[in-house]
Amino acid sequence: MPSIVEDTGPHANFTIEPDVLPNQVLAGSRLSYYIAISVVLFCIWLFQPSKQKRGVSAPFYKASRLKWMFGADTLVKDSYSKFRDRVYQIKTTEGVRTIIPASLVGELKGLPENTLSARTAVQEAMLSEYTSLCAGAHTDTLSLLLKCKLTGQLARMTPQLKEELEHILATEFPECEEWTPFKIQPFLIRTVARISGRVFVGPALNRVEEWMDVSINFAVTAFIAVIKLQFFPPWMRPAAQYLVSELGTIRKDLAKAEAMLTPIIDERLRDSETPGYVKPDDYVQWLSDALPEDQKKDYYIQAKLQLLLSAASIHTTANLTTDCIYDLAVHQDMQEILREEAREVFSDDEAWARKDSMGRLKKLDSFIKESQRLSGNVTSFIRKVMKPIDLSDGTHLPAGTDLLAPMAGIALDERFYSDPTVFDGLRFYKQFQQQQKQREQQQQSQSKTALSSSGDEASTPPSGRHHFTSIGDTSMNFGLGKHACPGRFFAGCEIKLVLALLLLRYDIRLRDGEKRPAPNMFMMTKSPSMTAEIMFRRRAV
């Protein structure tokens, strides 16, 4: 779950297709719309600066803004092939960005916020001043609750998540007694919203359609607002914000969320004074317990944090799950391999609640990571230079420089991945097995030498760097360093749960004669097709 409040927010896999947007998201004054579009086109060509003003000592990769708007994935790959281990600059629709190669990221990832800031970069990219996409003073609280409360209790919550998945499969997934075409992406968005909601707001609210609509549409609305505002130069935005109807929709969504959460929060605060009261186990309660006394009835901030969680988690998790489904439909040989593993791990109903069950799905974990490698973020490691930095290669980064890492290029670098253009669902499983074998041999030769005294940045042992949730200088889809997405372990659990259950129940394939659905690209954002139909057929039990 790449996080808006941490490192990866604006570069998550999330693209909007107008023909599938909810009506309320597309609503707005027709006159204001045409005025805004006209001003946007004028501003793009007249007011955008024509050259870099900040004196970064690095070459430019030249491409038109129009190409960056619709082909950023291809351009990042092409520019990476030209520069590879060199720092270079690009001029995108969002402005000038300095690209840091994997070989130099290690010099930057540990720098303090007052030198190199992830939060400032995210706030500026999401235009939080206008969109409210910022947790502000509650950023650390939100992140710590994800790390300490949610991640540490995943096994205990898995049966509840499975219950939600079973319910939505029974009510919204077709019977599929024969091969049946089905648009899986919209279904998975609702599925992830329902599953996440069970943990975030509890069973009293997660199945309520109004909450589902707000939690799903908040991210969509905010994304469109950011895109519109980005076309205006900063000095025009205070006035231009009134032409962006989505900003009003954001305020309405926050008000709706506040209205729905208020009675739940009040009831819990009253009941907490009753002797023997057992507190609910969800994010509403964790947040209430963590807030100081004078904020426990601040319904607005609690509603805002809930919608930020939804914005950071629902679409990104659903998109990756969709990409996995598309890859399963293409690579049908993998289905039985992963199905057999799931059968072995979930041999009885109690297995879903066992602490180690999800961790034992190593082949599925590898498949998800490989799908993410080829379909994941275009860029990552979003940072803002707050104080001048000099890199070991001589590159000078002045204060105010905006940084990114070229994930789309790194993912296809043969130095890091053998046959990088080939999809190998067991790539990381085989690497893990090979590493384990080498460790065992080393352990035998060195006679009980302590090999795992410390973990990597994801707090996993050295052998864990091939896991889906692991992070590193060449694996930054979840960010890097202390700002890495704190919800990635929950996202991994959700994706494995959905894929394992679908594999156990259905065969999956493409329509006859069709290829893997092409992704959508808009600006720096890539997402799977929302309209493609995949064929499903129920398996005999």
Side-chain angles (χ1 to χ4, degrees):
M1 180 168 64
S3 172
I4 282 178
V5 299
E6 292 293 339
D7 186 26
T8 56
H11 300 288
N13 285 347
F14 181 39
T15 301
I16 309 303
E17 289 186 84
D19 60 333
V20 295
L21 290 177
N23 290 332
Q24 60 266 40
V25 172
L26 294 178
S29 167
R30 183 178 297 272
L31 178 60
S32 295
Y33 174 83
Y34 287 119
I35 292 175
I37 292 299
S38 299
V39 175
V40 163
L41 294 174
F42 181 69
C43 292
I44 289 175
W45 299 108
L46 184 60
F47 293 107
Q48 293 293 324
S50 59
K51 60 181 180 179
Q52 169 75 330
K53 296 180 179 181
R54 294 195 183 109
V56 176
S57 54
F60 261 96
Y61 173 80
K62 295 182 179 180
S64 70
R65 291 193 183 101
L66 187 62
K67 288 183 178 179
W68 279 111
M69 184 173 291
F70 297 107
D73 187 26
T74 300
L75 293 178
V76 168
K77 292 174 184 176
D78 182 64
S79 62
Y80 182 83
S81 69
K82 289 180 170 61
F83 294 101
R84 285 175 67 116
D85 290 332
R86 296 170 58 197
V87 176
Y88 64 97
Q89 299 177 83
I90 60 176
K91 187 184 295 181
T92 72
T93 50
E94 294 94 332
V96 174
R97 297 293 183 265
T98 299
I99 304 300
I100 305 297
S103 58
L104 294 174
V105 163
E107 300 179 21
L108 299 171
K109 63 186 178 184
L111 295 178
E113 270 286 303
N114 61 0
T115 300
L116 187 66
S117 177
R119 291 178 184 174
T120 300
V122 170
Q123 289 173 16
E124 289 185 1
M126 301 308 296
L127 298 176
S128 299
E129 177 183 356
Y130 303 102
T131 62
S132 301
L133 290 176
C134 174
H138 297 89
T139 298
D140 289 337
T141 299
L142 190 149
S143 181
L144 283 172
L145 288 177
L146 287 173
K147 292 176 181 177
C148 301
K149 281 289 189 179
L150 181 56
T151 300
Q153 301 179 35
L154 283 179
R156 184 169 52 78
M157 293 181 172
T158 301
Q160 300 175 42
L161 305 183
K162 182 173 180 285
E163 179 184 329
E164 288 300 325
L165 178 57
E166 296 269 15
H167 177 78
I168 198 166
L169 282 172
T171 56
E172 299 187 26
F173 200 83
E175 289 293 330
C176 300
E177 295 299 333
E178 301 294 336
W179 283 110
T180 304
F182 186 57
K183 292 181 181 179
I184 192 66
Q185 166 72 348
F187 170 79
L188 287 175
I189 289 176
R190 288 181 57 81
T191 297
V192 174
R194 184 77 60 78
I195 294 174
S196 300
R198 180 65 177 262
V199 175
F200 293 164
V201 296
L205 202 54
N206 77 306
R207 294 184 185 179
V208 175
E209 279 300 319
E210 187 177 9
W211 178 263
M212 290 272 288
D213 289 342
V214 169
S215 63
I216 291 172
N217 295 336
F218 183 76
V220 177
T221 308
F223 185 82
I224 295 174
V226 169
I227 289 174
K228 287 185 178 181
L229 285 168
Q230 281 177 341
F231 285 132
F232 295 94
W235 63 267
M236 285 191 66
R237 288 171 188 164
Q241 64 176 307
Y242 299 105
L243 298 174
V244 181
S245 61
E246 287 77 15
L247 294 177
T249 305
I250 289 173
R251 291 189 288 270
K252 291 177 182 177
D253 284 346
L254 286 167
K256 290 178 183 177
E258 182 180 355
M260 285 183 276
L261 283 168
T262 296
I264 294 174
I265 295 170
D266 281 341
E267 181 182 8
R268 293 184 180 190
L269 290 175
R270 287 194 305 269
D271 291 347
S272 65
E273 300 175 359
T274 304
Y277 172 68
V278 178
K279 293 181 178 180
D281 193 16
D282 54 38
Y283 204 94
V284 172
Q285 189 63 50
W286 303 338
L287 181 59
S288 179
D289 291 342
L291 290 173
E293 284 299 322
D294 62 339
Q295 294 183 16
K296 290 187 184 299
K297 286 197 172 185
D298 188 336
Y299 310 115
Y300 173 81
I301 190 60
Q302 295 183 62
K304 180 179 178 180
L305 292 177
Q306 285 286 347
L307 291 189
L308 285 176
L309 276 177
S310 297
S313 63
I314 292 174
H315 294 273
T316 52
T317 303
N319 282 349
L320 180 51
T321 310
T322 302
D323 277 317
C324 289
I325 293 293
Y326 291 168
D327 289 327
L328 284 169
V330 173
H331 305 280
Q332 295 186 52
D333 57 311
M334 285 299 305
Q335 292 184 36
E336 191 54 38
I337 294 173
L338 301 180
R339 190 176 292 124
E340 183 58 36
E341 180 183 58
R343 286 197 198 100
E344 181 180 342
V345 171
F346 301 117
S347 56
D348 54 75
D349 289 339
E350 288 73 23
W352 294 93
R354 290 187 189 128
K355 189 173 183 179
D356 66 339
S357 289
M358 291 299 173
R360 290 173 59 199
L361 295 171
K362 298 187 185 301
K363 295 177 182 177
L364 182 58
D365 187 276
S366 172
F367 187 93
I368 298 168
K369 189 174 181 71
E370 178 73 347
S371 189
Q372 184 187 54
R373 180 180 73 86
L374 292 174
S375 302
N377 297 343
V378 177
T379 58
S380 185
F381 194 69
I382 176 173
R383 295 291 190 274
K384 181 87 170 184
V385 178
M386 310 303 288
K387 297 178 181 179
I389 299 170
D390 290 310
L391 298 175
S392 61
D393 69 344
T395 301
H396 177 69
L397 302 175
T401 304
D402 295 297
L403 307 183
L404 291 173
M407 278 308 302
I410 293 171
L412 297 180
D413 193 325
E414 67 278 0
R415 296 174 300 173
F416 308 132
Y417 306 101
S418 60
D419 297 323
T421 60
V422 175
F423 184 96
D424 181 358
L426 298 179
R427 178 187 300 273
F428 298 100
Y429 174 77
K430 288 182 287 190
Q431 291 178 4
F432 174 79
Q433 293 293 95
Q434 182 180 12
Q435 187 181 47
Q436 286 292 89
K437 184 177 180 180
Q438 291 173 349
R439 283 169 56 83
E440 290 172 3
Q441 292 173 347
Q442 185 179 5
Q443 200 167 24
Q444 291 173 3
S445 65
Q446 295 184 358
S447 184
K448 296 186 178 180
T449 301
L451 298 176
S452 54
S453 58
S454 63
D456 64 3
E457 292 172 304
S459 298
T460 56
S463 60
R465 68 173 179 265
H466 303 302
H467 295 166
F468 167 63
T469 54
S470 300
I471 54 177
D473 295 354
T474 60
S475 182
M476 294 179 279
N477 276 294
F478 288 117
L480 194 62
K482 64 182 179 180
H483 295 290
C485 175
R488 64 190 185 276
F489 300 98
F490 179 55
C493 179
E494 289 182 292
I495 296 170
K496 287 180 182 178
L497 175 66
V498 172
L499 294 178
L501 206 58
L502 288 176
L503 281 165
L504 289 171
R505 294 188 180 182
Y506 301 95
D507 291 317
I508 306 168
R509 67 172 176 84
L510 298 173
R511 283 179 175 272
D512 291 339
E514 290 190 355
K515 297 181 179 179
R516 188 192 191 282
N520 302 304
M521 273 302 313
F522 188 69
M523 300 174 78
M524 280 292 187
T525 304
K526 179 170 67 175
S527 70
S529 170
M530 298 181 72
T531 57
E533 291 185 327
I534 298 298
M535 306 294 288
F536 291 86
R537 182 180 64 185
R538 180 176 289 275
R539 295 177 58 81
V541 179

